[in-house]
């Protein structure tokens, strides 16, 4: 009569036991336990399936890393496409983006409190835009709201990649843990735990995060941060897709409990100002750039205009942390926070660990590629450098000495274009114009060659040439191949030009002419160098002075491969 199905099952089990004259209640207790939902099932049900994802950039119009990432995703929608959900990409503060300013009337990222969205007296440009975005991505707090929002930002502070979300958003914590497993430099900073409603754009969705990177000057795009962000965005979308698949598989899903390091805000420090409200001190040089590093009593934090030092003392900071708890500054000297209305020299945070449950996902599962390679993990070196830097020459020596398989992305593309196929004609046009061939074509040629060879050591020459190549490779290959390192051969433009003109006398290559050479070098600087900077940040780039003699370059290259092989044998 109560309608409680669990209780009804319990009563029915008692009835069965009486019929069978079983003296123990063990069976009924087991039935009750089996019918009750587990803690894991409850937590997963609260997140639910993610059907709609939004990626926003330009909430602050002069944070150009986020703006350009969003524009790239708008031009390349396949990158953000996953089978289990739809993805919308949009530019948030379009007028501020056009003017290249943080905002026009007020900070858009402070306009999303529920009460403000309902306040029709608010007529600023950003207040009106917030209402439009709420209608498009929300309404906030409703069942119709976007399931997940990733809002792309950059800061002038040295935060690296800092993900920010509600401490109550278990899905965002899981995504952060997964991204940190892919890139250990990622940090997680929780929004204020004591706040019920947040004024931030991601709060319009059911779940969401602020994706912050720095340092990046206003109005500028930093290649290393752009490349790192693009790859991590791909991983975040992969995780959401894996989360959905795990829910669909039910009891067969694999879940892991992991501990993730989290920073929690516990206060802030304002700038020193004189009686007129003007700045009287600056961030101390010993503090500048030390975001998320420990700050101790007595450490210098300000340098006055008269060059006097002001030192940190937790007793004067109004800090909420315990007296013995270590604190960490963040957003140190963020340019936007110099405004008197904000007046934040830096925030203060404590550091803790939190247990998070994540889905154990397999990126690229079901693509049908590399099926013969799953019994082992082939080792890969990417070989990069400007056109004519000597990549092919050094690769030939590695092949002879170490038995590696050399795969040149360029050679594979040239062979395909000579095949007479429609794809070959398209490749011909791209190469002649000095442009980069679409990633889908290049990755397929490389993966087919690796699968056909069946070996365990590969040199991939001339790839990835841009961030699209990089993200396409990581999305398609996942962890089936192991990147050991990146060999980068560095040669000045004038030396490369002379080498290629000489080679063009006998090579028969249509792109060994002065016009194509200069186009190719410009493409390398603008599109490939950000990839190299991304991998340099990962600590896997070995650079060689390629202007020296072949033998001199080989001596260093050989030593690098020998060191890598020693590590591979240990593994």
């Amino acid at each position: 009569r109560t309608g409680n199905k669990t209780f009804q099952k319990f009563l029915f089990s008692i009835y069965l036991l009486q019929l069978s004259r079983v003296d123990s209640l063990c069976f009924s207790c087991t039935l009750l336990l089996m019918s009750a939902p587990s803690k894991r099932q409850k937590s997963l049900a609260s997140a639910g399936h993610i059907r709609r994802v939004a990626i926003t950039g330009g909430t602050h119009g002069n944070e150009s890393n986020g703006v350009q990432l969003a524009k790239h995703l708008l031009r390349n929608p396949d990158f953000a496409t996953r089978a289990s959900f739809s993805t919308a990409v949009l530019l948030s503060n379009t007028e501020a983006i056009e003017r290249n300013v943080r905002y026009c009337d007020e900070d858009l990222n402070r306009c999303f409190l529920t009460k403000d969205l309902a306040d029709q007296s608010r007529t600023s440009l950003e207040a009106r835009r917030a209402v439009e975005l709420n209608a498009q991505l929300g309404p906030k707090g409703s069942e119709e709201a976007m399931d997940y929002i990733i809002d792309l930002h950059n800061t002038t502070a040295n935060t690296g990649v800092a993900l920010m979300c509600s401490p109550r958003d278990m899905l965002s914590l899981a995504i952060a843990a997964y991204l940190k497993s892919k890139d250990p430099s990622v940090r997680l900073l929780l929004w204020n735990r004591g706040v019920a409603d947040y004024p931030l754009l991601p709060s319009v969705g059911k779940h969401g995060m602020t994706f912050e990177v720095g340092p990046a000057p206003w109005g500028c795009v930093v290649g290393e941060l752009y490349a790192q962000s693009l790859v991590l965005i791909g991983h975040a979308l992969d995780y959401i897709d894996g989360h959905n698949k795990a829910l669909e598989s039910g009891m067969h899903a694999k879940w892991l409990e992991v501990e993730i390091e989290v920073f929690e805000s516990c206060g802030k420090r304002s700038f020193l100002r004189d009686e007129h409200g003007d700045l009287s001190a600056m961030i101390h040089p010993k503090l500048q750039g030390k975001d998320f590093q420990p700050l101790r009593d007595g450490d210098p934090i300000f340098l006055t205009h008269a060059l006097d030092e002001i030192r940190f003392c937790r007793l004067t900071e109004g800090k909420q942390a315990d007296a013995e708890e270590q604190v960490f500054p963040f957003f140190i000297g963020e340019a936007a926070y110099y405004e008197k209305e904000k007046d934040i020299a830096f925030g203060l945070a404590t550091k803790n660990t939190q247990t998070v449950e994540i889905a154990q996902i397999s990126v690229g599962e079901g693509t049908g590629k590399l099926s013969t390679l799953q019994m082992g993990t082939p080792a890969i070196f990417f070989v990069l450098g400007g056109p004519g830097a000597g990549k092919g020459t050094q690769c030939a020596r590695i092949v002879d000495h170490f038995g590696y398989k050399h795969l040149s992305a360029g050679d594979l593309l040239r062979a395909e274009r000579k095949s007479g196929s429609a794809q070959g004609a398209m490749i011909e046009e791209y190469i002649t114009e000095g442009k980069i061939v679409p990633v889908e074509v290049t990755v397929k040629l490389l993966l087919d060659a690796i699968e056909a060879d069946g070996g365990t050591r590969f040199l991939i020459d001339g790839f990835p040439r841009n961030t699209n190549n990089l993200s396409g490779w990581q999305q398609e290959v996942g962890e089936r191949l192991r990147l050991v390192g990146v060999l980068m051969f560095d040669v000045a433009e004038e030396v490369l030009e002379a080498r290629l003109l000489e080679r063009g006398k006998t090579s028969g290559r249509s792109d060994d002419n002065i016009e194509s050479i200069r186009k190719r070098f410009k493409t390398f600087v603008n599109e490939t160098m950000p990839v190299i900077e991304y991998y340099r940040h990962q600590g896997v780039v070995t650079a060689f002075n390629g202007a020296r003699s072949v033998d001199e370059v080989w001596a260093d290259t050989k030593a690098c491969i020998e060191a890598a092989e020693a590590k591979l044998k240990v593994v």
Side-chain angles (χ1 to χ4, degrees):
R1 289 181 182 178
T2 64
N4 187 317
K5 293 183 179 179
T6 298
F7 186 63
Q8 289 173 356
K9 288 181 179 179
F10 176 71
L11 292 177
F12 184 63
S13 69
I14 297 294
Y15 173 67
L16 291 175
L17 287 169
Q18 288 176 336
L19 288 179
S20 60
R21 296 182 179 181
V22 177
D23 294 327
S24 171
L25 291 181
C26 292
F27 176 75
S28 62
C29 292
T30 301
L31 180 61
L32 180 62
L33 290 170
M34 288 177 62
S35 63
S38 68
K39 185 184 294 185
R40 170 175 294 166
Q41 289 169 326
K42 288 179 181 177
S43 65
L44 293 178
S46 66
H49 286 75
I50 303 303
R51 300 304 186 195
R52 297 187 303 144
V53 173
I55 301 174
T56 57
T59 302
H60 294 139
N62 58 2
E63 293 182 359
S64 297
N65 262 60
V67 172
Q68 295 304 320
L69 280 163
K71 288 184 175 181
H72 174 75
L73 295 176
L74 284 167
R75 292 190 297 266
N76 300 273
D78 287 350
F79 178 85
T81 300
R82 300 295 185 275
S84 66
F85 58 86
S86 63
T87 306
V89 181
L90 65 153
L91 299 173
S92 309
N93 198 338
T94 50
E95 184 63 30
I97 293 170
E98 182 67 25
R99 299 184 194 180
N100 194 27
V101 295
R102 183 175 175 86
Y103 55 80
C104 299
D105 296 330
E106 63 175 314
D107 190 338
L108 177 60
N109 211 31
R110 300 297 182 272
C111 291
F112 293 96
L113 287 172
T114 302
K115 67 179 182 63
D116 290 341
L117 291 169
D119 186 351
Q120 297 182 5
S121 68
R122 291 171 52 80
T123 59
S124 70
L125 185 149
E126 277 77 17
R128 297 196 306 273
R129 181 58 176 156
V131 171
E132 293 172 357
L133 290 169
N134 185 53
Q136 188 172 357
L137 303 176
K140 183 174 181 176
S142 72
E143 284 301 313
E144 292 74 35
M146 193 68 63
D147 291 315
Y148 203 89
I149 298 176
I150 301 174
D151 192 25
L152 305 174
H153 287 256
N154 53 261
T155 171
T156 61
N158 187 29
T159 59
V161 176
L163 310 177
M164 305 177 194
C165 68
S166 166
R168 300 179 291 276
D169 189 346
M170 293 298 106
L171 178 58
S172 289
L173 295 179
I175 293 172
Y178 181 71
L179 296 187
K180 193 169 180 64
S181 75
K182 294 293 185 181
D183 183 346
S185 72
V186 170
R187 296 185 176 100
L188 175 60
L189 176 64
L190 300 181
W191 296 340
N192 193 325
R193 189 177 293 273
V195 173
D197 189 15
Y198 299 103
L200 311 172
L201 189 154
S203 70
V204 172
K206 296 173 185 173
H207 308 273
M209 69 167 56
T210 302
F211 191 107
E212 189 89 56
V213 300
W218 285 350
C220 298
V221 182
V222 178
E224 180 182 358
L225 293 173
Y226 177 98
Q228 186 181 15
S229 299
L230 187 62
V231 171
L232 287 170
I233 291 167
H235 287 320
L237 297 173
D238 288 338
Y239 181 82
I240 294 172
D241 190 44
H243 164 88
N244 287 340
K245 290 175 180 176
L247 290 182
E248 290 164 4
S249 63
M251 295 298 292
H252 301 291
K254 295 181 179 179
W255 299 86
L256 300 173
E257 281 195 349
V258 300
E259 284 196 343
I260 183 173
E261 183 180 86
V262 299
F263 292 89
E264 294 198 53
S265 177
C266 64
K268 66 179 182 178
R269 184 63 162 94
S270 298
F271 286 101
L272 298 181
R273 298 181 182 271
D274 62 21
E275 65 274 16
H276 305 293
D278 294 329
L279 288 174
S280 61
M282 64 208 85
I283 300 293
H284 197 286
K286 291 184 178 179
L287 177 64
Q288 189 69 56
K290 300 294 179 62
D291 296 71
F292 297 107
Q293 302 302 312
L295 182 62
R296 301 174 178 85
D297 285 347
D299 288 346
I301 55 175
F302 293 119
L303 189 65
T304 70
H305 291 173
L307 304 186
D308 294 322
E309 289 186 339
I310 306 297
R311 296 180 178 273
F312 180 71
C313 176
R314 68 179 59 226
L315 294 178
T316 64
E317 301 305 321
K319 194 189 67 57
Q320 299 168 9
D322 295 336
E324 300 301 321
E325 195 169 13
Q326 200 169 45
V327 294
F328 302 81
F330 63 94
F331 284 145
I332 300 172
E334 158 58 41
Y337 295 164
Y338 277 79
E339 295 178 2
K340 290 183 181 179
E341 293 78 9
K342 290 190 171 69
D343 193 26
I344 302 173
F346 53 85
L348 289 169
T350 56
K351 183 169 68 172
N352 304 290
T353 58
Q354 184 163 336
T355 301
V356 179
E357 190 175 72
I358 66 172
Q360 186 172 330
I361 72 171
S362 177
V363 178
E365 209 168 61
T367 61
K369 291 185 172 61
L370 296 180
S371 57
T372 61
L373 297 178
Q374 294 189 16
M375 293 302 292
T377 306
I380 302 292
F381 273 100
F382 288 140
V383 185
L384 297 174
K391 302 184 295 294
T393 300
Q394 294 300 318
C395 284
R397 293 201 173 192
I398 295 172
V399 170
D400 290 341
H401 194 84
F402 295 98
Y404 279 54
K405 175 68 175 181
H406 176 210
L407 298 175
S408 166
D411 288 347
L412 291 171
L413 289 166
R414 282 185 285 274
E416 181 67 18
R417 69 174 172 166
K418 289 179 181 179
S419 67
S421 66
Q423 180 171 266
M426 179 270 290
I427 293 171
E428 169 70 27
E429 181 180 348
Y430 271 83
I431 291 179
T432 301
E433 290 297 316
K435 298 177 181 177
I436 292 177
V437 175
V439 63
E440 296 84 4
V441 176
T442 309
V443 170
K444 183 179 186 303
L445 292 173
L446 287 167
L447 295 181
D448 287 348
I450 291 171
E451 184 171 12
D453 183 80
T456 61
R457 298 288 191 272
F458 292 90
L459 301 168
I460 298 183
D461 174 4
F463 185 92
R465 293 194 177 188
N466 61 12
T467 55
N468 193 35
N469 281 181
L470 173 61
S471 58
W473 173 268
Q474 293 195 342
Q475 181 179 334
E476 185 70 24
V477 177
E479 298 177 354
R480 302 179 194 181
L481 303 177
R482 178 184 178 188
L483 178 63
V484 179
V486 177
L487 310 180
M488 191 279 192
F489 296 93
D490 191 15
V491 184
E493 180 178 5
E494 59 271 18
V495 176
L496 295 177
E497 188 175 299
R499 284 183 182 179
L500 292 173
L501 288 175
E502 182 63 28
R503 186 178 76 179
K505 295 176 182 179
T506 58
S507 69
R509 286 176 52 168
S510 60
D511 56 347
D512 277 349
N513 61 76
I514 190 65
E515 186 177 347
S516 290
I517 289 167
R518 289 175 178 171
K519 285 181 179 178
R520 289 160 62 199
F521 189 79
K522 183 178 180 181
T523 299
F524 171 76
V525 171
N526 293 339
E527 301 198 28
T528 308
M529 282 306 299
V531 175
I532 293 171
E533 289 305 313
Y534 166 76
Y535 279 123
R536 200 188 305 276
H537 177 78
Q538 302 295 313
V540 296
V541 173
T542 302
F544 307 92
N545 177 4
R548 299 172 298 166
S549 70
V550 171
D551 288 340
E552 288 175 317
V553 178
W554 168 241
D556 290 345
T557 304
K558 179 172 175 285
C560 173
I561 300 296
E562 286 174 342
E565 280 296 316
K567 291 181 180 179
L568 286 169
K569 288 175 182 176
V570 170
V571 174

